[in-house]
Amino acid sequence: MENKTSSEAPFWNPYLAGIVLGLVLLGSFVVMGNGLGGSGAANRVAIGAAHIVAPQAVENNAYMGPMVAPGQHILDDWLVWEVLGVFLGGALAAYSAGRMKLVLLRGPRATVASRLVMAILGGLVMGVAARLARGCTSGQALTGGAALAAGSWVFMFAVFGGGYMVAPLLRRYWK
Amino acid sequence: MLPTLLEQTTTRVNAEIDPALHIWGWEIAVYLFLGGLVAGLLILSALLLWRPREQPPSRILQFAPLVALALLSLGMGALFLDLAYKLHVFRFYTAFRPTSPMSWGAWILVLIYPVAALSGLVALGPDARAWLLKKLPLGKVLAWAEGKRQALLGATLAGGVGLGIYTGLLLGTLTARIQWNTAVLGPLFLTSGLSSGAAFLLLFKLDEVDRHRLVRWDMLALVVEAVLIGAMLLGFANAGAAGQLAAEALLGGAWTASFWSLVVVMGIAVPLLLEGIEIKKHLPLVAVTPTLVLLGGLALRAVLLAAGQDSGFRMLP
Amino acid sequence: MMLPLYPNEVFGRATGMVVGTLTGIAFGFVLERSGFGRAPILAAQFYGTNMRVFKVMFSAIATAAAGMAVLAGLGLLDLGLLTFPETYWWPQLVGGLLLGVGFIGAGYCPGTACVAAASGDVGGMLTYLGVMLGSLVFGFTYPVFADLYVAGKAGVLRLDTLLGLPYGVVAAAVVAMAVGCFFGAEALERWFAKRAHQEAPDTLKRPRNRSFVALAALALAAVATLAIPQSVQSAVVRTPAPVKVVPLVDAALRLPESVWLVDVRDAKLCKEKTLPRAVCLADLPKGAAAAAPSHKRLVLIGTDTVKEVPAALADFPGEVASLQGGYPAFAAELLADLPAEVTQTMTPARLAEYRLRGALHARLTGAAAPVAAPAPVVVPVAPTGAPAKKGGGC
């Protein structure tokens, strides 16, 4: 079920991969004093784009306004560079494993159109959720989980809870 | 009076207090990038087309000199957008000043057009030639150009080298900007142009042989570029207070993140790794690699342009 | 206590950004090799057939938590300098549920969408685009969420403080729980595989057992460091770094979110007059220091430079600084009349500093600006008046 072809390198053993991931996270804490993130960059890029299109609306917004205050640049943030790195690292890994290819991965019974719509919609819901929770699976569950932050553990169980609640409804879409 | 003063002094963007003089914007960065890319394209296509082949060369190579001209025109368009007095363009051509790189540039640009256009005709494969001759009465021109093939390609090569170096010298002669006050800028922009040119060609479908060569040349150009960047930083670090200020901006200062992340990591190191993996594992080349090289080339110009305009001898204590 | 490096000012902010790119490369590489760039694998987590997501995530959390505990136990890592996510019970619960729903819909979470996009999946690209749009939806409809966003604020709340146990013990417990859950997850996978007449995923025993041994060793080490005498661990005496008056007041007025000014002088003196946006130590509720956001810089204002952090503020998790010269320095530099200096001969940097001081003085005292604006030091290239005319360049 992992859609492997003979030329692709296999995925790492999950426990081993987890330990390596944990070491990367530990390294981030040890060097920078903070953990990893995934959605903060999306937020900043989106706000930056919105600020170009509608400067007034963004500046007067209670949530986004402080981020575009004079004297600071919206993209001048650790998370933005980190996500640029995630993209580069992902490309390096996928290419060296022989997996880099323009495709649309989807469940065996999902149509192209439904996959496209679900990807955008799912992303949209996660975008709202990540802002509300001050982080996503990377910034809250992984980072906060490792830092033993109480709220992050609540968040992590909630993510699995939310996923398991809705998964039966989408069975035809993924299975 | 009072609120205005406060606004001006506490946000420190007042032109009277911090005259950053960012008079060159994105247009110049795009122009420098396209100029370098075109230089690279001209040099590489001249080299690859040097020997007449039995089989017509890869399709993109047949059109490379003409594509280069189109891109050059695009760059000139960006440059034109930047000019304050657009109608005064002709004045560049009323005189030639050997000590002004702008004058050199203006004349190089003019000379490149006919040479590259004729090379473009020579480069065309039989199909394209037949099509072109049906549309335009260029039979005689083509025959003449074919006779002078090597001379034309040589002139294209020379024009490409001149253009590539000039884009760096344009900044290099403005010594009041301590970031640009280095002799490395010319060769650096030339090699960066070469890697951009190779990357551009690699975005298209190529023969196995051409692709192989281009990937290797691209890697070589990237390595040389990295060495030149190292030389530039070393040069700064040993060039007294002004040079140290220039190095500071890229080694811990305001432009560190963009320079190292975009130019060095994204534009040089990662593409080198990807190309190395490609050769080692015989993988098909993907568009990501050349795209990263092109983005890195653009970032190099943009960062050095912006960092240079930020710098000046007024920063010295 | 060399670690963490950046908060200990081993390198600067700009270099930190480059470190960010490099960290991201490692992160993205591991995520891809973990199989997180493929939506069907991630979605399988929610159908019980492949618990890869759970295994990778929990091994990572266990490794990092135990690793931090070991380093902190050895006295190498200062936990007080780490940025811990703050706890807001309700938004994190609701946000988590919502994110789970989006996750199963898109097949990716934001970070993995980025990796998927990098490996060429159009679904990943669109998901990340969706995350951007969703962020904007949140921003523009913020008033709807505003109450929920701050509901159940508990500040920096760690499981170890919540449970009243040492950090190392809780970290070891996390490892033990993770390994226990892994056995459960594998049993579940086998059950689902049997039902579907398929083979269970990742059945290789050797790498699994080795990983478990490594995790167990880390957990034991975390507990073992507790035996190291406490004097090593509590050797952290924080001396507040001194800050100058003018930049501090400038920051307090311009970026009030960045600093937290606490006047530690006598309550009466503080009530009488203090710095703008400063609070009196006597007015702070109990536990305010521990709950304060750690990204702010706590600046102490005394009768002179404060050398020691007062006990009531010792729990503050972030950076602590102290106003150089205390309140008297503030009064002398910004409240007293400014001497009119000759500005024509000043260097631009000095002039900027002088003007900043003048502006702050004017704002704080309501006095008129101290000097009339002198002629600009650097003559602009373009003629003034017209909007910055661009120069040519070929």
Side-chain angles (χ1 to χ4, degrees):
Chain A
M1 75 135 281
E2 297 192 357
N3 303 329
K4 261 183 243 152
T5 64
S6 56
S7 64
E8 284 182 17
F11 294 120
W12 290 349
N13 177 282
Y15 304 114
L16 206 63
I19 290 179
V20 179
L21 183 57
L23 291 178
V24 172
L25 179 57
L26 181 63
S28 178
F29 269 118
V30 161
V31 176
M32 289 304 297
N34 52 251
L36 305 162
S39 60
N43 184 40
R44 285 183 172 269
V45 172
I47 292 177
H51 191 227
I52 294 170
V53 179
Q56 282 298 312
V58 175
E59 280 160 24
N60 295 334
N61 184 284
Y63 180 73
M64 299 184 283
M67 285 190 241
V68 291
Q72 45 194 333
H73 195 282
I74 183 78
L75 294 182
D76 183 17
D77 190 81
W78 196 81
L79 287 173
V80 175
W81 294 111
E82 188 244 18
V83 166
L84 170 76
V86 169
F87 186 87
L88 296 176
L92 275 173
Y95 187 62
S96 57
R99 269 192 290 273
M100 190 186 280
K101 211 174 141 196
L102 199 64
V103 285
L104 183 68
L105 297 170
R106 58 186 195 272
R109 282 184 283 178
T111 59
V112 170
S114 73
R115 175 70 188 121
L116 297 179
V117 171
M118 285 295 266
I120 288 243
L121 276 183
L124 206 138
V125 172
M126 286 194 292
V128 174
R131 285 311 99 217
L132 184 59
R134 299 172 171 78
C136 61
T137 8
S138 315
Q140 280 289 350
L142 195 63
T143 299
L148 304 183
S152 303
W153 280 77
V154 170
F155 174 86
M156 181 164 30
F157 288 120
V159 169
F160 280 105
Y164 278 110
M165 271 195 311
V166 181
L169 304 175
L170 294 173
R171 176 168 277 280
R172 297 190 120 270
Y173 177 69
W174 285 114
K175 288 279 117 182
Chain B
M1 169 67 206
L2 207 58
T4 333
L5 180 68
L6 194 74
E7 169 76 14
Q8 286 179 341
T9 50
T10 57
T11 55
R12 298 204 49 164
V13 287
N14 183 358
E16 286 178 5
I17 289 179
D18 276 323
L21 289 181
H22 275 268
I23 51 172
W24 280 354
W26 64 269
E27 298 97 339
I28 298 295
V30 166
Y31 164 69
L32 291 176
F33 168 66
L34 285 176
L37 171 62
V38 167
L41 269 180
L42 291 176
I43 295 170
L44 291 169
S45 57
L47 287 174
L48 285 170
L49 294 166
W50 194 259
R51 286 213 189 106
R53 310 187 191 186
E54 305 205 339
Q55 295 288 321
S58 314
R59 202 149 187 84
I60 181 65
L61 271 184
Q62 295 181 17
F63 295 101
L66 296 176
V67 170
L69 283 188
L71 289 173
L72 188 60
S73 309
L74 207 66
M76 303 261 287
L79 188 61
F80 189 68
L81 281 181
D82 175 75
L83 287 181
Y85 300 102
K86 298 190 167 42
L87 290 177
H88 290 199
V89 164
F90 73 93
R91 293 199 178 174
F92 273 117
Y93 301 106
T94 56
F96 175 66
R97 287 168 175 276
T99 52
S100 156
M102 282 206 193
S103 188
W104 273 98
W107 283 100
I108 287 179
L109 290 173
V110 165
L111 292 179
I112 277 180
Y113 272 91
V115 172
L118 287 171
S119 296
L121 286 182
V122 174
L124 291 178
D127 299 353
R129 274 187 202 192
W131 180 85
L132 188 70
L133 288 180
K134 243 188 282 169
K135 298 275 168 192
L136 294 167
L138 288 173
K140 273 190 189 157
V141 182
L142 198 62
W144 178 82
E146 193 59 53
K148 306 256 180 231
R149 181 189 172 93
Q150 310 252 307
L152 274 174
L153 289 176
T156 309
L157 188 75
V161 173
L163 179 63
I165 291 187
Y166 140 75
T167 56
L169 282 187
L170 172 60
L171 299 185
T173 50
L174 299 171
T175 50
R177 299 295 179 187
I178 53 184
Q179 210 85 45
W180 301 338
N181 190 6
T182 163
V184 180
L185 227 47
L188 177 61
F189 278 22
L190 176 65
T191 39
S192 165
L194 274 174
S195 65
S196 300
F200 181 83
L201 290 174
L202 285 169
L203 282 174
F204 297 88
K205 200 163 170 275
L206 288 163
D207 288 346
E208 196 54 32
V209 188
D210 289 335
R211 193 176 66 100
H212 216 68
R213 276 191 195 158
L214 280 172
V215 169
R216 269 146 216 276
W217 290 354
D218 191 31
M219 287 180 80
L220 186 67
L222 288 174
V223 170
V224 174
E225 207 182 320
V227 171
L228 287 174
I229 285 175
M232 180 177 81
L233 294 176
L234 269 179
F236 280 146
N238 293 307
Q244 268 157 23
L245 263 181
E248 224 268 346
L250 301 178
L251 298 171
W255 298 98
T256 310
S258 328
F259 183 75
W260 288 95
S261 292
L262 295 180
V263 179
V264 178
V265 175
M266 184 188 80
I268 298 179
V270 172
L272 261 180
L273 273 173
L274 287 170
E275 285 175 345
I277 295 167
E278 189 227 327
I279 290 176
K280 196 160 165 247
K281 297 200 170 181
H282 305 287
L283 290 166
L285 188 83
V286 284
V288 172
T289 317
T291 308
L292 291 179
V293 173
L294 289 172
L295 287 175
L298 181 58
L300 174 74
R301 270 70 169 196
V303 169
L304 285 184
L305 195 70
Q309 294 188 78
D310 251 5
S311 71
F313 284 95
R314 72 190 152 77
M315 292 160 73
L316 292 173
Chain C
M1 292 269 181
M2 269 294 284
L3 306 175
L5 297 177
Y6 173 64
N8 273 323
E9 294 180 0
V10 174
F11 52 84
R13 185 172 181 278
T15 313
M17 301 288 164
V18 183
V19 174
T21 310
L22 299 176
T23 310
I25 289 181
F27 185 35
F29 193 94
V30 182
L31 281 182
E32 205 284 336
R33 287 301 168 90
S34 306
F36 285 7
R38 317 255 106 175
I41 295 180
L42 292 168
Q45 169 67 40
F46 294 102
Y47 297 100
T49 47
N50 190 340
M51 309 286 264
R52 197 169 243 281
V53 176
F54 176 78
K55 293 176 191 167
V56 175
M57 258 188 80
F58 262 69
S59 323
I61 289 173
T63 308
M68 280 197 274
V70 171
L71 291 177
L74 291 174
L76 296 172
L77 176 70
D78 186 353
L79 290 176
L81 289 181
L82 300 181
T83 310
F84 288 100
E86 288 171 60
T87 292
Y88 292 78
W89 296 112
W90 291 109
Q92 278 173 322
L93 179 70
V94 178
L97 287 170
L98 261 181
L99 198 125
V101 172
F103 193 162
I104 186 68
Y108 295 114
C109 61
T112 52
C114 193
V115 173
S119 63
D121 179 25
V122 179
M125 300 173 199
L126 288 179
T127 304
Y128 208 72
L129 185 72
V131 175
M132 291 187 197
L133 293 176
S135 307
L136 282 186
V137 169
F138 179 83
F140 281 113
T141 57
Y142 179 67
V144 180
F145 297 101
D147 287 335
L148 179 59
Y149 188 64
V150 291
K153 177 177 167 145
V156 175
L157 184 61
R158 291 201 319 242
L159 291 179
D160 54 325
T161 39
L162 197 66
L163 300 171
L165 292 168
Y167 195 88
V169 171
V170 180
V174 167
V175 175
M177 193 180 81
V179 175
C181 289
F182 293 153
F183 283 111
E186 289 185 5
L188 213 64
E189 280 175 351
R190 279 196 298 274
W191 186 74
F192 273 105
K194 208 168 153 192
R195 217 177 57 159
H197 304 290
Q198 280 174 342
E199 209 183 323
D202 307 313
T203 42
L204 280 177
K205 284 271 185 289
R206 255 171 74 128
R208 184 195 79 160
N209 292 344
R210 281 184 181 178
S211 305
F212 285 5
V213 169
L215 282 174
L218 255 182
L220 283 179
V223 177
T225 55
L226 293 175
I228 294 174
Q230 281 291 305
S231 62
V232 180
Q233 290 193 1
S234 58
V236 221
V237 178
R238 288 199 285 178
T239 21
V243 285
K244 291 221 167 82
V245 173
V246 172
L248 174 70
V249 176
D250 180 37
L253 293 176
R254 213 151 45 79
L255 305 164
E257 285 301 306
S258 68
V259 286
W260 184 34
L261 303 182
V262 177
D263 192 329
V264 299
R265 292 178 302 158
D266 208 48
K268 228 176 88 193
L269 281 174
C270 169
K271 292 265 161 48
E272 202 177 298
K273 198 148 177 55
T274 184
L275 266 68
R277 299 218 162 93
V279 287
C280 299
L281 182 62
D283 291 347
L284 286 180
K286 216 166 176 264
S294 61
H295 63 81
K296 283 196 182 192
R297 192 160 52 136
L298 168 59
V299 184
L300 307 170
I301 298 145
T303 43
D304 198 347
T305 317
V306 183
K307 296 273 191 284
E308 270 175 40
V309 184
L313 294 168
D315 289 345
F316 180 71
E319 192 186 336
V320 185
S322 153
L323 177 61
Q324 204 168 32
Y327 181 82
F330 165 73
E333 279 219 40
L334 289 178
L335 298 185
D337 286 338
L338 284 164
E341 289 185 42
V342 184
T343 52
Q344 296 291 337
T345 54
M346 282 181 170
T347 60
R350 279 281 321 254
L351 179 61
E353 195 189 306
Y354 180 69
R355 286 188 160 192
L356 178 63
R357 209 178 128 201
L360 291 172
H361 171 76
R363 168 142 179 198
L364 293 168
T365 60
V371 276
V377 174
V378 177
V379 183
V381 168
T384 46
K389 201 79 172 153
K390 293 184 162 187
C394 299

